[in-house]
Amino acid sequence: MSDNLGSGLGIVGYDGYEFVVTDIERSRRFYAEMMDVAEVAELSERESSQRGEQAFVFTAGKAWWTCVTPTARGSAADRWLKRHPDGVRTVAFRVRDTAQARRVLGERGAALCTDLCSSEDQEGRPYRWFDIATPLGDVRFRFVERANDALPPGFEPRGGGGAANRYSFQIIDHITSNFLTLEPHVTWLRDVMGFTEYWRVHFHTADINPATGGSGLASIVMWDEESGIKLANNEPVTPNYEQSQIFTFVEANRGPGVQHVAFHVPEIAPAVGGLRRAGIQFLDTPATYYDMLPARLAAQRVDRFTEDLAELKRLGVLVDGEDGRYLLQIFMVEGGVLYGDESAGPFFYEVIQRRGARGFGEGNFRALFEAIERDQQQRDSVRRQLDAGAGS
């Protein structure tokens, strides 16, 4: 697309994200043993000492991210974890020209957190970046201009790593965040970031949960038309605003934050089968979902569906689409459930395959919402039983 259709920031794609964790070795095992993701760099001993943090860079296909943990009181990671459970503190975008992006953002009133910083990695490859504050709680946006494969400042390469993995993760498809109210963030994405609205949905589960009154969400997806970057944003809705799993996420996260990151794969069935065998847990999908799926796809004019429904049901993969195009997706359980540790937080990953569909699957949004709601009800029931036992 031409430049005048984008945000004017020269974004070319996601550069990655930075994830702060309480237990870095647990995260390293998760990525290496379950996700088959390569460690390609580690924060140098000198830089680690100066920052009071330990960190590793992971890659899968073209997706990059960093896991960080504090090693000293008062470090940036330590301060983060005093305010939040494990979670994303930085979302990074790759841009063609950081100076130009910073100038445009400054003119639009962005709160600049850093100067325009420049460095070179150990192989002399340039790396430039700057950060801005966002309405997404403590999450910052970072803008990065770098040579291909250039490492962030202070990181040293680790031998034997590679971007390939057995599940064929390719790119970050989208990032989804949760708020108590969408309007400030969506307006900021429009006026400061220059994004435009891509898609929206609003639903409530009162029709299937009449006894409890159900709960619901509103979601607006914003995007940069030039690069195709998409940011999905959710808020809880009435009735039962505080029973919405979006409200519950914000409460558990102690503020708005990134709910999940979606990785795109070329073939979802073998990827999910392998991830399950490796110990990854996914949200359950009721059998009735698949009973109704053929009729729903027919109503949505998805007439070239070639997947094995029995296999998708066995794996728990969700399907949605329209006008001959469709997508397949599945959601992992949140970190706190996976590890049985609330400090691991409510963040989770999604795996998605697109067969021409560019949307987010309105039906699947609801299926995800209902699945998380069921999980939360089960956890609340267990917690009440434990509390009752402790008090007896």
Side-chain angles (χ1 to χ4, degrees):
M1 295 183 179
S2 61
D3 286 357
N4 63 358
L5 292 178
S7 62
L9 301 179
I11 296 174
V12 296
Y14 283 112
D15 189 71
Y17 57 96
E18 186 179 52
F19 200 85
V20 184
V21 299
T22 53
D23 187 338
I24 194 76
E25 293 306 317
R26 180 171 67 186
S27 294
R28 293 176 73 191
R29 289 192 299 272
F30 169 78
Y31 289 122
E33 298 172 11
M34 293 186 178
M35 298 272 278
D36 191 39
V37 168
E39 284 183 16
V40 296
E42 180 179 3
L43 198 61
S44 71
E45 185 175 343
R46 177 180 178 182
E47 191 72 17
S48 178
S49 177
Q50 290 177 345
R51 297 187 192 182
E53 298 178 350
Q54 185 182 18
F56 297 87
V57 174
F58 299 87
T59 67
K62 294 183 179 179
W64 286 55
W65 65 98
T66 306
C67 271
V68 184
T69 197
T71 57
R73 290 183 178 179
S75 67
D78 180 60
R79 296 195 304 274
W80 168 275
L81 291 173
K82 280 182 168 56
R83 299 190 299 272
H84 306 284
D86 294 3
V88 174
R89 75 172 175 187
T90 306
V91 175
F93 305 98
R94 188 92 171 261
V95 296
R96 288 189 292 269
D97 185 334
T98 45
Q100 166 71 7
R102 194 172 190 273
R103 181 187 65 77
V104 171
L105 287 164
E107 291 173 351
R108 294 175 181 167
L112 302 168
C113 301
T114 67
D115 294 331
L116 182 56
C117 306
S118 298
S119 68
E120 293 183 349
D121 68 8
Q122 288 191 329
E123 297 186 20
R125 296 173 296 198
Y127 190 104
R128 306 177 75 196
W129 81 102
F130 69 92
D131 289 356
I132 66 172
T134 77
L136 185 50
D138 290 330
V139 178
R140 294 184 177 186
F141 282 180
R142 178 166 297 164
F143 300 84
V144 177
E145 176 190 357
R146 62 179 173 88
N148 287 335
D149 299 324
L151 295 173
F155 282 84
E156 298 175 337
R158 293 173 61 88
N165 68 87
R166 70 173 66 100
Y167 310 120
S168 300
F169 297 132
Q170 295 176 315
I171 58 171
I172 296 173
D173 184 89
H174 63 272
I175 292 177
T176 297
S177 301
N178 288 350
F179 306 79
L180 294 183
T181 176
L182 280 180
E183 197 279 333
H185 187 66
V186 169
T187 299
W188 182 86
L189 286 173
R190 183 193 67 205
D191 294 346
V192 176
M193 289 289 289
F195 282 29
T196 56
E197 184 175 323
Y198 181 83
W199 182 84
R200 67 167 58 205
V201 68
H202 181 293
F203 67 80
H204 204 279
T205 62
D207 57 330
I208 64 165
N209 291 320
T212 64
S215 63
L217 67 74
S219 182
I220 298 177
V221 178
M222 301 292 285
W223 77 320
D224 170 47
E225 295 182 49
E226 182 183 0
S227 65
I229 287 289
K230 298 181 183 70
L231 298 173
N233 311 281
N234 305 324
E235 70 178 6
V237 297
T238 56
N240 291 335
Y241 178 91
E242 293 188 4
Q243 276 64 59
S244 169
Q245 54 101 344
I246 306 303
F247 183 94
T248 302
F249 172 95
V250 176
E251 197 171 49
N253 192 60
R254 299 195 287 276
V258 174
Q259 180 203 46
H260 73 266
V261 171
F263 291 124
H264 187 271
V265 295
E267 297 290 340
I268 199 168
V272 172
L275 288 165
R276 284 190 179 278
R277 288 190 294 273
I280 294 289
Q281 300 174 44
F282 294 93
L283 292 172
D284 291 331
T285 304
T288 52
Y289 173 89
Y290 298 96
D291 296 339
M292 297 183 292
L293 185 57
R296 183 160 62 85
L297 292 178
Q300 294 169 324
R301 301 176 301 282
V302 179
D303 53 2
R304 293 190 294 275
F305 187 73
T306 60
E307 313 298 326
D308 182 341
L309 271 181
E311 178 71 354
L312 297 181
K313 181 177 180 179
R314 184 182 70 83
L315 294 171
V317 172
L318 305 172
V319 186
D320 213 342
E322 59 184 356
D323 297 328
R325 300 180 294 272
Y326 59 93
L327 59 83
L328 306 105
Q329 59 193 152
I330 192 168
F331 305 90
M332 299 181 190
V333 298
E334 64 186 57
V337 174
L338 178 66
Y339 299 123
D341 177 3
E342 290 188 357
S343 72
F347 174 89
F348 59 88
Y349 284 110
E350 172 186 350
V351 181
I352 184 169
Q353 176 192 351
R354 294 187 181 275
R355 293 286 197 187
R358 300 175 63 196
F360 286 77
E362 180 174 342
N364 289 351
F365 244 66
R366 178 164 178 150
L368 164 65
F369 187 89
E370 293 169 2
I372 294 177
E373 201 171 62
R374 286 192 300 273
D375 263 25
Q376 289 175 341
Q377 290 169 355
Q378 290 172 2
R379 289 199 303 278
D380 289 345
S381 176
V382 170
R383 190 176 292 114
R384 285 193 296 270
Q385 291 174 10
L386 291 174
D387 290 345
S392 62

